Amino acid sequence: MSQDVEDIKPSYPLFREQEYRDTLANKRDNFEEKHPQEKIDEVFQWTTTEEYKELNFQREALTVNPAKACQPLGSVLCSLGFENTMPYVHGSQGCVAYFRTYFNRHFKEPISCVSDSMTEDAAVFGGQQNMKDGLENCMKVYKPDMIAVSTTCMAEVIGDDLNAFINNSKNEGHVPQDYPVPFAHTPSFVGSHTTGWDNMFEGIIRYFTLNYMEDKEVGSNGQINIVPGFETYLGNYRVIKRMLNEMEVPFKLLSDPEEVLDTPADGQFRMYSGGTTQDEVRDAPNAKDTLLLQAWQLVKTEKFVRNTWKHEAPRINIPMGLEWTDEFLMKVSEISGQPIPDSLAKERGRLVDMMTDSHAWMHGKKFALWGDPDFVMGMSKFLMELGAEPTHILCHNANKRWKKAMEAILETSPYGSNSEVHLGKDLWHMRSLVFTNKPDFMIGNSYGKFIQRDTLYKGEEHEVPLIRIGFPIFDRHHLHRQTTMGYEGAMQMLTTLVNAVLERLDDETRGMQTTDYNYDLVR
Ligand code: SF4
C-alpha cells in the first residue's frame, strides 16, 4: 500500500500515485461504461456554445445548480439570532442535518437546531405526536427560553397545522402555556432561504407583539429597530452596530446571531450566546421606526411592521458601497436627530481615496455575479461606482418588481449599459453566460468554482476566475467574518476585487520573455 502510517497522505496527492491510477482506470474501463473521451469532449464543447445557451435558457421545468436554498434554512438562521432560542424544524431529520451542515461548513461553528424527525408513519397520519414529544424533549434537554418552529416540505405537503399542534401540545402540558413557541410555515417548494428568514421573523414578532399593542406608543423608547434579513457576514452585524454607536443612536438589532456564530475556543461550549432578547422584541413597537436592511427579501416583515407597529419602515437600499451607505446614515440621522459624526465622515473620505487609487484598474472590468436580491443589487451598484461593469446579473430568488428596479439602477450609469439581468435563473444558466459572453471575473459563492474549472478546461483564455463574495463559502476559511456593508465593507470589497484584478494580471504577464514586459513591481 502506498499509504503509510508514518506518511499519511490526503486523497490529493494520494490518488495520483500509480497504484490508485490503475485501480481507478480499471474501475472506469470495466465497470462504469464510460463514454469515449472524444465524445465527452465533443459534448463539453457543445455545452459552451451559443446554440446550447439558447436551449438552456428555454429550460422551464428543471433547476440545475440552484443559486438559492430552501426556506427552513433561512428560518433557522433567523431563530439563531434570538437569545437562548432553539431553532426547531417540524419535519424530516435529513433536512435539519442539511441545514446544520450547510451553516457548519460556512461558519466553521457548531450549529444548534432540532428536528422532530417525522418518518413514514407521521407522513401518513400527520406529525402531531412528533410535535408534542419534540417540544417536550427539546425544552427538557436543551433548556432554551424559546423554541422557534418552522417546517420542511414533508410537513407542508401533508398540511400539518403548526398553530393547532403547538396549542394542543400546550393544552396537554407538554410545554407550559406561557412558554414562547413562535412558528412559521416555511414550505420549500415556494420562495427560498430569504423567504424563510422573513416568515420566521414575522412569526416571532407576531408572537410577542400582535396581541399586546394597547400600551405601545411609536417613538416612546427613543430607539431605531434594525432588521438585517438573511445575513451571513458577521462583519455586517458589527459594522452596523459600530456606525450607530458612533452616531450615539439608541437602536436594537432584531435578530443578531453574530455571537452564537462566532463563539471562542476557550474550553466552554456555548449552545446559546448573545442574540436579541424577548423583552427587546416586546419593546420593538415602541421604537421611532424600523429600518429593513434588505427590504427586497422582507416582504412579510415590512407589512407587519407597517400595519401592526404603525412604523413607516421607509424603503432604503442595502447599505453597500458609497452612495447607499450615505443614504443609510442620512436616514438614521433623519429619524434619530443625531448628526453624522466626523469619524464616519473621515471613514467615508478614506473609501473615496481608495476608490480613486484603484479606479484605473477597476475601470471597464466586467463582472458576472449572483446571489440574493439585495446583495446583488448592492454589489452591482458598487461595481458601477468603481467604474466596473456588472455584465451578467443573476438572481434566482427575486421577483419581477426587483428586476425592474435593478434595470432602473443600471440605467443611471454608463457602466450598466451592457448589463443583463437574469431573474429566476440558476448556475447552469450562469455557466452558459460566461462561456458565450466572457466576463473578466465572477462574483458569487463557492459553487462558482465548478464554472471556473469548466472555463479553464475549454482553454486558459476562456478561464473566468471566481471571487468569493456571497453565501455559502465552503472552500475558503474565515471570509464570513468580513464586511460587505458600510464604508468599511466597501473598503474590504474593493480590496478583494482590485487585488483579484492585479493577481490575474500578474498571472497573465509572468511569461518569461513573452508577457513579462508588463510584470511590474508597482501597480
Ligand atoms: S427542500 Fe424540502 S426536503 Fe429538501 S432540505 Fe429543504 S425542506 Fe428538506
Side-chain angles (χ1 to χ4, degrees):
M1 289 292 286
S2 47
Q3 191 68 295
D4 174 327
V5 73
E6 298 302 331
D7 180 20
I8 303 270
K9 295 174 188 153
S11 56
Y12 176 80
L14 180 70
F15 289 177
R16 302 303 299 156
E17 292 187 1
Q18 198 56 48
E19 179 187 353
Y20 288 90
R21 287 186 192 222
D22 292 345
T23 305
L24 292 170
N26 181 45
K27 179 167 168 276
R28 190 185 59 222
D29 295 342
N30 296 318
F31 301 102
E32 288 183 354
E33 299 178 8
K34 189 187 173 208
H35 292 285
Q37 191 58 41
E38 307 78 61
K39 186 69 187 168
I40 293 173
D41 285 339
E42 182 193 325
V43 174
F44 172 85
Q45 291 300 337
W46 177 61
T47 64
T48 69
T49 60
E50 190 67 41
E51 179 198 359
Y52 182 83
K53 183 191 124 184
E54 279 178 26
L55 289 171
N56 193 12
F57 271 74
Q58 285 169 28
R59 173 162 56 88
E60 281 177 5
L62 176 72
T63 297
V64 187
N65 298 347
K68 61 175 185 176
C70 68
Q71 281 212 44
L73 185 90
S75 71
V76 169
L77 181 66
C78 177
S79 309
L80 288 170
F82 291 87
E83 189 186 53
N84 295 334
T85 296
M86 180 62 81
Y88 177 119
V89 184
H90 176 58
S92 13
Q93 196 171 357
C95 303
V96 176
Y98 151 60
F99 311 142
R100 295 182 67 194
T101 49
Y102 218 66
F103 286 132
N104 172 259
R105 289 166 182 178
H106 178 80
F107 293 108
K108 318 293 184 210
E109 286 285 320
I111 303 295
S112 298
C113 174
V114 299
S115 127
D116 52 20
S117 305
M118 288 170 64
T119 50
E120 292 84 346
D121 53 345
V124 175
F125 300 113
Q128 177 153 243
Q129 193 54 44
N130 297 61
M131 175 71 79
K132 290 174 183 173
D133 295 343
L135 287 177
E136 186 171 340
N137 287 337
C138 176
M139 204 183 76
K140 284 188 178 153
V141 177
Y142 301 115
K143 301 181 175 45
D145 292 339
M146 164 161 68
I147 300 176
V149 180
S150 55
T151 48
T152 67
C153 295
M154 192 219 278
E156 290 300 325
V157 168
I158 61 176
D160 278 1
D161 180 346
L162 289 184
N163 190 30
F165 285 9
I166 292 167
N167 281 337
N168 292 343
S169 302
K170 288 186 171 181
N171 291 339
E172 291 178 21
H174 294 282
V175 282
Q177 282 290 352
D178 58 353
Y179 186 80
V181 188
F183 64 88
H185 284 275
T186 48
S188 293
F189 30 85
V190 290
S192 72
H193 56 289
T194 59
T195 328
W197 199 102
D198 184 34
N199 282 338
M200 191 73 248
F201 185 81
E202 198 257 7
I204 291 173
I205 59 175
R206 173 180 292 271
Y207 180 89
F208 285 107
T209 65
L210 181 67
N211 297 323
Y212 309 96
M213 288 301 297
E214 317 82 54
D215 59 341
K216 302 292 190 298
E217 189 187 338
V218 176
S220 58
N221 73 10
Q223 300 186 348
I224 298 179
N225 299 324
I226 305 285
V227 182
F230 188 93
E231 177 53 65
T232 53
Y233 277 97
L234 300 182
N236 285 344
Y237 294 98
R238 291 167 183 158
V239 76
I240 293 293
K241 289 188 232 180
R242 176 173 68 76
M243 291 195 297
L244 295 189
N245 283 331
E246 285 183 32
M247 290 180 76
E248 299 181 6
V249 170
F251 69 95
K252 281 288 166 314
L253 197 50
L254 300 181
S255 183
D256 179 5
E258 175 233 311
E259 276 196 40
V260 77
L261 296 175
D262 197 18
T263 56
D266 57 2
Q268 183 198 343
F269 170 63
R270 296 163 175 82
M271 182 166 278
Y272 312 105
S273 187
T276 309
T277 67
Q278 293 178 22
D279 282 345
E280 286 169 343
V281 184
R282 288 190 188 95
D283 187 39
N286 290 323
K288 289 179 169 176
D289 213 333
T290 299
L291 291 178
L292 312 176
L293 298 186
Q294 303 191 76
W296 284 104
Q297 54 163 270
L298 294 171
V299 179
K300 245 179 139 175
T301 298
E302 184 177 67
K303 202 167 161 199
F304 186 88
V305 164
R306 286 180 180 164
N307 294 345
T308 305
W309 294 0
K310 307 294 180 205
H311 288 187
E312 187 192 335
R315 265 278 170 151
I316 54 166
N317 292 302
I318 187 170
M320 283 175 72
L322 186 71
E323 194 180 326
W324 287 358
T325 301
D326 291 351
E327 272 181 21
F328 171 71
L329 294 178
M330 288 191 290
K331 185 52 80 180
V332 169
S333 176
E334 182 190 318
I335 298 169
S336 66
Q338 288 292 98
I340 297 170
D342 280 352
S343 59
L344 290 176
K346 258 192 190 163
E347 195 176 325
R348 180 186 194 280
R350 289 187 195 112
L351 171 61
V352 173
D353 190 36
M354 286 175 69
M355 290 166 73
T356 317
D357 292 343
S358 301
H359 180 259
W361 298 106
M362 295 303 299
H363 178 85
K365 285 283 175 294
K366 293 180 170 36
F367 291 84
L369 65 150
W370 66 89
D372 292 339
D374 299 87
F375 165 79
V376 162
M377 206 174 244
M379 196 73 211
S380 302
K381 168 83 171 140
F382 184 50
L383 286 172
M384 292 190 293
E385 288 177 343
L386 296 172
E389 297 179 20
T391 314
H392 308 300
I393 300 169
L394 184 143
C395 188
H396 206 161
N397 51 344
N399 57 26
K400 285 183 184 154
R401 273 194 315 119
W402 174 88
K403 185 169 187 251
K404 260 186 150 174
M406 184 70 249
E407 284 167 347
I409 291 163
L410 294 168
E411 277 170 22
T412 63
S413 166
Y415 301 110
S417 58
N418 294 319
S419 305
E420 277 184 15
V421 184
H422 300 280
L423 180 66
K425 300 298 179 205
D426 58 38
L427 293 185
W428 194 251
H429 292 111
M430 180 55 92
R431 183 180 179 276
S432 277
L433 291 170
V434 302
F435 270 125
T436 51
N437 181 9
K438 182 183 174 293
D440 296 298
F441 296 91
M442 294 181 286
I443 297 174
N445 58 27
S446 289
Y447 290 106
K449 75 189 290 179
F450 300 107
I451 303 179
Q452 177 175 355
R453 179 199 57 184
D454 286 9
T455 55
L456 177 63
Y457 187 70
K458 188 173 165 77
E460 259 177 40
E461 69 281 18
H462 297 282
E463 186 184 12
V464 184
L466 170 68
I467 299 172
R468 289 165 176 78
I469 305 178
F471 171 84
I473 296 175
F474 291 152
D475 62 337
R476 295 290 183 273
H477 283 205
H478 313 309
L479 294 183
H480 65 275
R481 288 167 194 288
Q482 291 196 319
T483 309
T484 60
M485 289 183 184
Y487 303 129
E488 179 188 320
M491 288 178 191
Q492 290 190 19
M493 285 193 297
L494 172 55
T495 306
T496 303
L497 295 174
V498 74
N499 286 319
V501 169
L502 297 176
E503 194 72 43
R504 186 70 179 163
L505 188 59
D506 273 359
D507 281 351
E508 288 172 353
T509 56
R510 64 180 161 212
M512 196 76 97
Q513 297 180 47
T514 52
T515 56
D516 61 356
Y517 59 87
N518 203 21
Y519 190 58
D520 292 337
L521 179 64
V522 181
R523 301 282 197 198

PDB file of all heavy atoms in Angstrom, residues 195-209:
ATOM      1  N   THR A 195     -37.021  33.965   1.976  1.00  0.00           N
ATOM      2  CA  THR A 195     -38.447  33.940   2.349  1.00  0.00           C
ATOM      3  C   THR A 195     -38.609  33.296   3.717  1.00  0.00           C
ATOM      4  O   THR A 195     -39.427  33.729   4.539  1.00  0.00           O
ATOM      5  CB  THR A 195     -39.264  33.114   1.334  1.00  0.00           C
ATOM      6  OG1 THR A 195     -38.680  33.231   0.040  1.00  0.00           O
ATOM      7  CG2 THR A 195     -40.709  33.516   1.314  1.00  0.00           C
ATOM      8  N   GLY A 196     -37.828  32.232   3.949  1.00  0.00           N
ATOM      9  CA  GLY A 196     -37.905  31.533   5.231  1.00  0.00           C
ATOM     10  C   GLY A 196     -37.478  32.433   6.374  1.00  0.00           C
ATOM     11  O   GLY A 196     -38.073  32.415   7.454  1.00  0.00           O
ATOM     12  N   TRP A 197     -36.433  33.237   6.138  1.00  0.00           N
ATOM     13  CA  TRP A 197     -35.987  34.183   7.183  1.00  0.00           C
ATOM     14  C   TRP A 197     -37.121  35.159   7.479  1.00  0.00           C
ATOM     15  O   TRP A 197     -37.465  35.401   8.646  1.00  0.00           O
ATOM     16  CB  TRP A 197     -34.745  34.942   6.696  1.00  0.00           C
ATOM     17  CG  TRP A 197     -33.957  35.577   7.802  1.00  0.00           C
ATOM     18  CD1 TRP A 197     -32.797  35.102   8.343  1.00  0.00           C
ATOM     19  CD2 TRP A 197     -34.269  36.799   8.514  1.00  0.00           C
ATOM     20  NE1 TRP A 197     -32.371  35.946   9.338  1.00  0.00           N
ATOM     21  CE2 TRP A 197     -33.246  36.988   9.467  1.00  0.00           C
ATOM     22  CE3 TRP A 197     -35.290  37.725   8.442  1.00  0.00           C
ATOM     23  CZ2 TRP A 197     -33.228  38.082  10.338  1.00  0.00           C
ATOM     24  CZ3 TRP A 197     -35.288  38.817   9.319  1.00  0.00           C
ATOM     25  CH2 TRP A 197     -34.270  38.989  10.249  1.00  0.00           C
ATOM     26  N   ASP A 198     -37.688  35.692   6.433  1.00  0.00           N
ATOM     27  CA  ASP A 198     -38.773  36.678   6.565  1.00  0.00           C
ATOM     28  C   ASP A 198     -39.969  36.067   7.307  1.00  0.00           C
ATOM     29  O   ASP A 198     -40.520  36.670   8.240  1.00  0.00           O
ATOM     30  CB  ASP A 198     -39.177  37.115   5.144  1.00  0.00           C
ATOM     31  CG  ASP A 198     -40.223  38.209   5.116  1.00  0.00           C
ATOM     32  OD1 ASP A 198     -40.216  39.062   6.017  1.00  0.00           O
ATOM     33  OD2 ASP A 198     -41.040  38.212   4.178  1.00  0.00           O
ATOM     34  N   ASN A 199     -40.355  34.863   6.921  1.00  0.00           N
ATOM     35  CA  ASN A 199     -41.504  34.204   7.557  1.00  0.00           C
ATOM     36  C   ASN A 199     -41.259  33.966   9.048  1.00  0.00           C
ATOM     37  O   ASN A 199     -42.125  34.193   9.881  1.00  0.00           O
ATOM     38  CB  ASN A 199     -41.795  32.858   6.882  1.00  0.00           C
ATOM     39  CG  ASN A 199     -42.520  33.045   5.562  1.00  0.00           C
ATOM     40  OD1 ASN A 199     -43.148  34.069   5.325  1.00  0.00           O
ATOM     41  ND2 ASN A 199     -42.429  32.049   4.697  1.00  0.00           N
ATOM     42  N   MET A 200     -40.052  33.480   9.369  1.00  0.00           N
ATOM     43  CA  MET A 200     -39.762  33.187  10.785  1.00  0.00           C
ATOM     44  C   MET A 200     -39.708  34.470  11.597  1.00  0.00           C
ATOM     45  O   MET A 200     -40.232  34.536  12.706  1.00  0.00           O
ATOM     46  CB  MET A 200     -38.415  32.445  10.890  1.00  0.00           C
ATOM     47  CG  MET A 200     -38.144  31.868  12.266  1.00  0.00           C
ATOM     48  SD  MET A 200     -39.167  30.418  12.627  1.00  0.00           S
ATOM     49  CE  MET A 200     -40.237  31.040  13.914  1.00  0.00           C
ATOM     50  N   PHE A 201     -39.108  35.493  11.029  1.00  0.00           N
ATOM     51  CA  PHE A 201     -39.008  36.764  11.766  1.00  0.00           C
ATOM     52  C   PHE A 201     -40.409  37.317  12.029  1.00  0.00           C
ATOM     53  O   PHE A 201     -40.724  37.735  13.147  1.00  0.00           O
ATOM     54  CB  PHE A 201     -38.180  37.778  10.967  1.00  0.00           C
ATOM     55  CG  PHE A 201     -37.939  39.045  11.733  1.00  0.00           C
ATOM     56  CD1 PHE A 201     -36.936  39.116  12.683  1.00  0.00           C
ATOM     57  CD2 PHE A 201     -38.731  40.167  11.516  1.00  0.00           C
ATOM     58  CE1 PHE A 201     -36.729  40.284  13.412  1.00  0.00           C
ATOM     59  CE2 PHE A 201     -38.530  41.336  12.244  1.00  0.00           C
ATOM     60  CZ  PHE A 201     -37.521  41.391  13.190  1.00  0.00           C
ATOM     61  N   GLU A 202     -41.238  37.275  11.000  1.00  0.00           N
ATOM     62  CA  GLU A 202     -42.602  37.773  11.168  1.00  0.00           C
ATOM     63  C   GLU A 202     -43.334  36.929  12.208  1.00  0.00           C
ATOM     64  O   GLU A 202     -44.102  37.452  13.031  1.00  0.00           O
ATOM     65  CB  GLU A 202     -43.327  37.739   9.818  1.00  0.00           C
ATOM     66  CG  GLU A 202     -44.554  38.618   9.773  1.00  0.00           C
ATOM     67  CD  GLU A 202     -45.842  37.840   9.901  1.00  0.00           C
ATOM     68  OE1 GLU A 202     -45.811  36.617  10.149  1.00  0.00           O
ATOM     69  OE2 GLU A 202     -46.891  38.467   9.766  1.00  0.00           O
ATOM     70  N   GLY A 203     -43.067  35.623  12.216  1.00  0.00           N
ATOM     71  CA  GLY A 203     -43.688  34.742  13.210  1.00  0.00           C
ATOM     72  C   GLY A 203     -43.287  35.128  14.628  1.00  0.00           C
ATOM     73  O   GLY A 203     -44.112  35.113  15.548  1.00  0.00           O
ATOM     74  N   ILE A 204     -42.023  35.475  14.804  1.00  0.00           N
ATOM     75  CA  ILE A 204     -41.531  35.817  16.151  1.00  0.00           C
ATOM     76  C   ILE A 204     -42.096  37.166  16.608  1.00  0.00           C
ATOM     77  O   ILE A 204     -42.597  37.293  17.730  1.00  0.00           O
ATOM     78  CB  ILE A 204     -39.976  35.800  16.173  1.00  0.00           C
ATOM     79  CG1 ILE A 204     -39.486  34.353  16.009  1.00  0.00           C
ATOM     80  CG2 ILE A 204     -39.442  36.419  17.467  1.00  0.00           C
ATOM     81  CD1 ILE A 204     -37.994  34.195  15.853  1.00  0.00           C
ATOM     82  N   ILE A 205     -42.044  38.167  15.746  1.00  0.00           N
ATOM     83  CA  ILE A 205     -42.559  39.478  16.189  1.00  0.00           C
ATOM     84  C   ILE A 205     -44.086  39.428  16.350  1.00  0.00           C
ATOM     85  O   ILE A 205     -44.645  40.079  17.223  1.00  0.00           O
ATOM     86  CB  ILE A 205     -42.100  40.654  15.287  1.00  0.00           C
ATOM     87  CG1 ILE A 205     -42.538  40.483  13.832  1.00  0.00           C
ATOM     88  CG2 ILE A 205     -40.596  40.853  15.378  1.00  0.00           C
ATOM     89  CD1 ILE A 205     -42.202  41.694  12.946  1.00  0.00           C
ATOM     90  N   ARG A 206     -44.726  38.621  15.538  1.00  0.00           N
ATOM     91  CA  ARG A 206     -46.189  38.444  15.680  1.00  0.00           C
ATOM     92  C   ARG A 206     -46.506  37.838  17.052  1.00  0.00           C
ATOM     93  O   ARG A 206     -47.383  38.304  17.765  1.00  0.00           O
ATOM     94  CB  ARG A 206     -46.686  37.527  14.549  1.00  0.00           C
ATOM     95  CG  ARG A 206     -48.150  37.113  14.639  1.00  0.00           C
ATOM     96  CD  ARG A 206     -48.492  36.214  13.450  1.00  0.00           C
ATOM     97  NE  ARG A 206     -48.462  36.989  12.216  1.00  0.00           N
ATOM     98  CZ  ARG A 206     -49.509  37.638  11.718  1.00  0.00           C
ATOM     99  NH1 ARG A 206     -50.662  37.595  12.348  1.00  0.00           N
ATOM    100  NH2 ARG A 206     -49.405  38.329  10.604  1.00  0.00           N
ATOM    101  N   TYR A 207     -45.750  36.802  17.419  1.00  0.00           N
ATOM    102  CA  TYR A 207     -45.992  36.106  18.684  1.00  0.00           C
ATOM    103  C   TYR A 207     -45.890  37.070  19.872  1.00  0.00           C
ATOM    104  O   TYR A 207     -46.713  37.055  20.781  1.00  0.00           O
ATOM    105  CB  TYR A 207     -44.980  34.957  18.837  1.00  0.00           C
ATOM    106  CG  TYR A 207     -45.166  34.177  20.112  1.00  0.00           C
ATOM    107  CD1 TYR A 207     -46.029  33.088  20.157  1.00  0.00           C
ATOM    108  CD2 TYR A 207     -44.503  34.548  21.282  1.00  0.00           C
ATOM    109  CE1 TYR A 207     -46.221  32.384  21.333  1.00  0.00           C
ATOM    110  CE2 TYR A 207     -44.698  33.859  22.465  1.00  0.00           C
ATOM    111  CZ  TYR A 207     -45.556  32.773  22.482  1.00  0.00           C
ATOM    112  OH  TYR A 207     -45.756  32.088  23.652  1.00  0.00           O
ATOM    113  N   PHE A 208     -44.854  37.912  19.841  1.00  0.00           N
ATOM    114  CA  PHE A 208     -44.592  38.749  21.021  1.00  0.00           C
ATOM    115  C   PHE A 208     -45.326  40.078  21.018  1.00  0.00           C
ATOM    116  O   PHE A 208     -45.358  40.757  22.043  1.00  0.00           O
ATOM    117  CB  PHE A 208     -43.083  39.016  21.159  1.00  0.00           C
ATOM    118  CG  PHE A 208     -42.321  37.827  21.666  1.00  0.00           C
ATOM    119  CD1 PHE A 208     -41.511  37.097  20.817  1.00  0.00           C
ATOM    120  CD2 PHE A 208     -42.435  37.436  22.993  1.00  0.00           C
ATOM    121  CE1 PHE A 208     -40.811  35.988  21.277  1.00  0.00           C
ATOM    122  CE2 PHE A 208     -41.740  36.335  23.472  1.00  0.00           C
ATOM    123  CZ  PHE A 208     -40.930  35.604  22.606  1.00  0.00           C
ATOM    124  N   THR A 209     -45.876  40.493  19.860  1.00  0.00           N
ATOM    125  CA  THR A 209     -46.448  41.856  19.845  1.00  0.00           C
ATOM    126  C   THR A 209     -47.889  41.947  19.344  1.00  0.00           C
ATOM    127  O   THR A 209     -48.594  42.876  19.741  1.00  0.00           O
ATOM    128  CB  THR A 209     -45.577  42.815  18.995  1.00  0.00           C
ATOM    129  OG1 THR A 209     -45.605  42.413  17.623  1.00  0.00           O
ATOM    130  CG2 THR A 209     -44.147  42.875  19.489  1.00  0.00           C
TER     131      THR A 209
END
